[in-house]
Amino acid sequence: MQYRAIVVGLGGMGSASLAHIAKRGATVLGIERFHPIHEFGASSGKSRIIRRAYFENHRYVPLLHRAYDLWRNLERDSGTRILHANGLLTAGFEGSAMLEGARRAVERYGLDAELWTAADIRARYPALRPRAEESGVFERDGGFLVPEAAVSAYLADATSSGAQTVFGAGLQRWEPTPRGIVVKLSTGHALRCDRLILTLGPWFKEELARIGMSLTLQRNVQAWFGPPNAAFGPDAVPTFLLERRGLPALGYGFPDIGDGVKAALHAYGAPVENADALDRSIDTERDVAPIAAMLEDWLPGAGASIRDAKACMYALTADRDFAIDRHPLDDRVVLCGGFSGHGFKFASVVGEIAAGLALDGESPHRIDFLSLERLRSTAKAG
């Protein structure tokens, strides 16, 4: 059998791609090297931030509008709650890049957001401790996604729409032929398809290396602090981003949704040679203490005791923007990767984009700023 499309990697991006393709009536197969809803890639962790006031790059905002719609559609169709809009606070000192970027996004797109002073923050969320020189952007419909629920819902949506899936089989290599793409698996099987979508997470590094482009992998740690406490629940504490003088990196965190307060430092960790070499052991002093210090300073009492911690990987492009494009050596292959620690919220719309590139040869959304060519240009300039 020759499939219309094969999707390799069934985390957030891959499961969404599989579902979007299947719902369009195309024969599609999804392949995953691990079991469903695993913790080895980049689509786990119980909570992921979602927001519209995008300080990183305002060109993401239209994609976020569509992502929100698609997440709500998935919730409706699956009967599963995935998006929790408990409020998102982007806080920082005056002049900080994050705060100024969020304000620009609000102004440019007329976003439904409030600009708060430190006094406003304290009045709305008495548990927080903003400094006098800090202020914030508050998004009422910001909050968090539950990644495991999202992936599970997309996989169920895909299979109910006719998609097939194979788990426990890794991609060994793919080969172009005049009649299509041959996909060879670690199990020894060879499959054929018209179009191939690679959503490989941190394993995307090897695919980019084959075309002379680099991707940096970085170890990052997420930590949960407990025991569970209603005083730090979704009504009392917003999902937050914090740029504060003295912090080694941007801090972020989530209210207690039953597992304790979760917090981390963004893009703060050691480089990893390859995705299989990640050190998953946790050293409390090295990995957790900086997160606990950030959290205690911002939300006193929340970081007093560690409950759990998990090492994960960021796949970082040179400019920290995503890489979504057709393969430069064969345009029947779609590449989606380099999500740089801020990608999961886009999984719903990335799936739609990947389906468009594979089935129509073009994206339904403007993604020129995510092209591979800009990474090639960056590499040449460097």
Side-chain angles (χ1 to χ4, degrees), residues 83-103:
L83 198 167
H84 297 251
N86 73 301
L88 186 286
L89 177 63
T90 300
F93 55 90
E94 284 303 317
S96 64
M98 184 175 70
L99 186 61
E100 291 305 309
R103 286 172 173 168

Side-chain angles (χ1 to χ4, degrees), residues 46-51 68 83-91 98 116 121 124-125 128 137-145 232-242 251-257 261-263 295 298-299 345:
K46 302 177 183 179
S47 52
R48 293 296 178 89
I49 286 175
I50 187 166
R51 53 196 164 91
Y68 265 85
L83 198 167
H84 297 251
N86 73 301
L88 186 286
L89 177 63
T90 300
M98 184 175 70
W116 286 359
I121 295 172
R124 175 59 182 85
Y125 292 109
L128 300 180
V137 173
F138 180 73
E139 301 174 65
R140 197 175 308 279
D141 71 346
F144 61 93
L145 299 158
F232 301 130
D235 293 331
V237 176
T239 304
F240 69 85
L241 292 158
L242 177 66
Y252 68 92
F254 304 82
D256 182 3
I257 56 174
V261 175
K262 175 185 170 183
L295 187 60
W298 173 244
L299 184 59
K345 64 184 72 64

Side-chain angles (χ1 to χ4, degrees), residues 110-360:
L111 300 178
D112 182 14
E114 300 172 18
L115 307 182
W116 286 359
T117 64
D120 295 328
I121 295 172
R122 286 192 294 270
R124 175 59 182 85
Y125 292 109
L128 300 180
R129 292 294 183 271
R131 296 173 182 171
E133 74 274 14
E134 294 172 343
S135 53
V137 173
F138 180 73
E139 301 174 65
R140 197 175 308 279
D141 71 346
F144 61 93
L145 299 158
V146 180
E148 293 85 354
V151 174
S152 180
Y154 264 133
L155 289 176
D157 191 23
T159 54
S160 68
S161 299
Q164 299 177 38
T165 53
V166 174
F167 293 93
L171 174 66
Q172 198 169 62
R173 65 183 183 276
W174 60 269
E175 298 174 354
T177 74
R179 295 178 54 198
I181 305 295
V182 176
V183 178
K184 297 192 174 183
L185 304 181
S186 58
T187 57
H189 293 89
L191 305 167
R192 288 185 175 273
C193 60
D194 299 329
R195 299 291 185 269
L196 175 63
I197 299 174
L198 300 178
T199 49
L200 304 174
W203 288 269
F204 190 59
K205 179 177 180 177
E206 286 75 15
E207 193 62 39
L208 278 189
R210 293 188 184 101
I211 52 177
M213 298 182 187
S214 64
L215 190 71
T216 300
L217 301 185
Q218 184 187 63
R219 179 182 182 272
N220 282 268
V221 172
Q222 307 168 60
W224 288 261
F225 300 86
N229 188 333
F232 301 130
D235 293 331
V237 176
T239 304
F240 69 85
L241 292 158
L242 177 66
E243 185 172 10
R244 170 167 279 181
R245 289 189 174 94
L247 286 182
L250 299 180
Y252 68 92
F254 304 82
D256 182 3
I257 56 174
D259 298 292
V261 175
K262 175 185 170 183
L265 293 169
H266 178 64
Y268 179 69
V272 179
E273 181 62 29
N274 62 71
D276 295 316
L278 175 67
D279 176 10
R280 296 185 183 275
S281 64
I282 298 295
D283 180 281
T284 301
E285 188 61 30
R286 177 194 65 188
D287 297 325
V288 179
I291 301 171
M294 176 276 295
L295 187 60
E296 276 295 290
D297 197 36
W298 173 244
L299 184 59
S305 61
I306 179 66
R307 177 172 180 163
D308 195 11
K310 175 182 182 294
C312 63
M313 283 175 283
Y314 281 10
L316 303 164
T317 64
D319 59 10
R320 303 303 190 258
D321 286 324
F322 312 155
I324 305 176
D325 207 343
R326 290 187 289 176
H327 201 291
L329 302 181
D330 193 317
D331 64 8
R332 297 172 297 179
V333 179
V334 177
L335 301 176
C336 299
F339 291 101
S340 299
H342 62 109
F344 190 88
K345 64 184 72 64
F346 294 90
S348 59
V349 70
V350 168
E352 186 173 62
I353 290 168
L357 289 173
L359 301 181
D360 307 323

Side-chain angles (χ1 to χ4, degrees), residues 57 59-60 63 204 208 211 213-214 317-328 335-338 353 357 363 365-379:
N57 186 331
R59 288 179 288 185
Y60 285 102
L63 297 179
F204 190 59
L208 278 189
I211 52 177
M213 298 182 187
S214 64
T317 64
D319 59 10
R320 303 303 190 258
D321 286 324
F322 312 155
I324 305 176
D325 207 343
R326 290 187 289 176
H327 201 291
L335 301 176
C336 299
I353 290 168
L357 289 173
S363 167
H365 304 287
R366 186 169 181 178
I367 57 168
D368 53 298
F369 70 105
L370 305 177
S371 72
L372 290 175
E373 184 56 38
R374 116 270 174 179
L375 290 180
R376 191 186 306 275
S377 300
T378 301

